[in-house]
Amino acid sequence: MLRQQDVGHRIVVRRIVGIREGRPLFSDALGELVELSETHITLATDRGRVRVPVDEVHRAKRVPPARRPTAAAVIALELAADEAWPAPVRGRLGDWLLRSADGWTGRANSALPVGDPDRPLPAALDAVQRWYAERGQPAMVNTPLPLAAPVGAELDARGWTARPPVLVQTAPLSALPAGRTDLPPVGLSPTPSEEWLAVAAGRKGGLPDAARHVLTAVDRIRFAHLHVDGRLLALGRGTVTGEGHRLGLTLIEVLPEARRRGFAGAVIRALADWGRAEGARHAFLQVEQRNAPAVALYQRLGFTTHHTYLTRVAPD
């Protein structure tokens, strides 16, 4: 049967869908395991998301991936994302990164276990817990999958919990569709306005000083603003990192009353145009698997999942 360390891997689930002449009828689902609970198995398939009740499962197992990025490609993308969301307090454990930003967002307050930590895995995780304890924070580890599956297995054994799966998605900038001409223009600025920051604070639960560092301490950056009748209705943030090749898209936000009007796409395309002018060739973003509207939007724009990650949290 499946375990938490199988999240992010390709699996096949055979479920019982009925009985005929006293014999069970089966149906198979093949895809990436995105969530495993006591009651359901959820996987992303070519036909969309499938949620299978555990009591209908006849058999479920991991299968070889159809295609997956190399370890080097995952590491390069994770490091580009780290550059794009820089924690003000940082440490190293061999190649592993340790990051703290006064608790503002999981990404900026978690260890990134890519590469060699310069010690055995149990000792490395002990050191991670000490580093965060010294700062009065709960220890968290972001585990890119399947690259960090061994780390995930050790965390399972220690009783660490997992936050919802996050999809790391990419798209060639050259493939993004052209923008609509009937939408308001999107303004780009190297600094965020106070109105922009207020919307971001509402989404992220405040903006401590550490948050302002995370948002602004990138050399090549633009903040997108879309106004209608003088009011900010949509915003976004773009960064160019990864040796200048990758445009990172973060905080793509549309106010609730302005959704389904194409504003998010307009913001993304404006940032994409800027990224291309800066020499970037690919865009990337991170989105929770359960955020179905956002995942659907990014799919329409040509984004596909490169890999997934789980944020693991140490027990109290």
Side-chain angles (χ1 to χ4, degrees):
M1 199 59 181
L2 301 172
R3 295 175 294 176
Q4 285 297 331
Q5 56 260 44
D6 295 315
V7 173
H9 292 267
R10 194 165 180 245
I11 66 166
V12 62
V13 176
R14 172 158 289 187
R15 66 191 295 185
I16 301 171
V17 294
I19 302 292
R20 179 183 295 167
E21 297 179 354
R23 296 184 177 182
L25 300 176
F26 300 107
S27 175
D28 292 341
L30 177 68
E32 180 181 292
L33 178 62
V34 296
E35 188 174 3
L36 179 63
S37 71
E38 294 182 358
T39 59
H40 287 82
I41 294 173
T42 305
L43 60 161
T45 75
D46 290 340
R47 296 183 178 182
R49 186 167 170 162
V50 176
R51 194 163 182 254
V52 182
V54 169
D55 58 10
E56 294 181 6
V57 175
H58 174 68
R59 184 181 302 148
K61 64 179 182 178
R62 192 190 299 187
V63 295
R67 183 185 65 181
R68 68 182 182 190
T70 65
V74 173
I75 291 172
L77 185 49
E78 286 291 330
L79 293 179
D82 174 70
E83 290 180 62
W85 200 254
V89 179
R90 305 173 69 84
R92 295 198 78 95
L93 199 64
D95 295 328
W96 288 18
L97 299 179
L98 306 174
R99 307 172 291 191
S100 174
D102 293 341
W104 193 75
T105 75
R107 276 179 285 170
N109 291 275
S110 56
L112 181 61
V114 296
D116 184 357
D118 253 352
R119 65 205 71 193
L121 179 55
L125 293 174
D126 290 342
V128 168
Q129 289 195 265
R130 287 195 299 271
W131 193 86
Y132 284 100
E134 289 167 2
R135 287 154 183 80
Q137 293 182 233
M140 296 196 294
V141 176
N142 267 15
T143 55
L145 298 171
L147 177 68
V151 177
E154 177 67 20
L155 296 176
D156 284 339
R158 294 175 178 229
W160 288 46
T161 57
R163 291 184 175 176
V166 174
L167 308 179
V168 181
Q169 299 197 315
T170 60
L173 284 176
S174 60
L176 289 180
R180 288 165 46 186
T181 59
D182 60 331
L183 295 176
V186 177
L188 299 181
S189 169
T191 57
S193 67
E194 289 302 316
E195 191 179 14
W196 194 104
L197 290 170
V199 174
R203 176 177 175 181
K204 294 293 187 181
L207 288 180
D209 289 342
R212 292 175 182 261
H213 178 97
V214 171
L215 288 173
T216 62
V218 182
D219 289 337
R220 299 163 74 181
I221 189 167
R222 286 296 183 271
F223 295 87
H225 308 71
L226 185 153
H227 290 86
V228 175
D229 296 329
R231 185 182 177 207
L232 180 65
L233 293 184
L235 57 95
R237 174 180 175 271
T239 54
V240 173
T241 60
E243 300 181 340
H245 301 317
R246 299 181 186 272
L247 169 71
L249 298 170
T250 51
L251 284 170
I252 307 299
E253 179 73 8
V254 179
L255 270 60
E257 63 271 26
R259 290 173 184 167
R260 301 184 181 278
R261 294 165 61 181
F263 292 168
V267 165
I268 290 170
R269 290 183 182 94
L271 291 170
D273 289 343
W274 169 76
R276 276 191 292 266
E278 290 289 310
R281 298 195 295 269
H282 290 83
F284 71 89
L285 54 84
Q286 299 172 344
V287 58
E288 283 195 3
Q289 167 70 34
R290 64 183 180 181
N291 187 351
V295 171
L297 166 66
Y298 301 141
Q299 184 178 36
R300 290 195 299 272
L301 291 173
F303 283 85
T304 59
T305 298
H306 185 271
H307 64 276
T308 62
Y309 75 76
L310 293 175
T311 298
R312 306 299 301 270
V313 183
D316 294 335

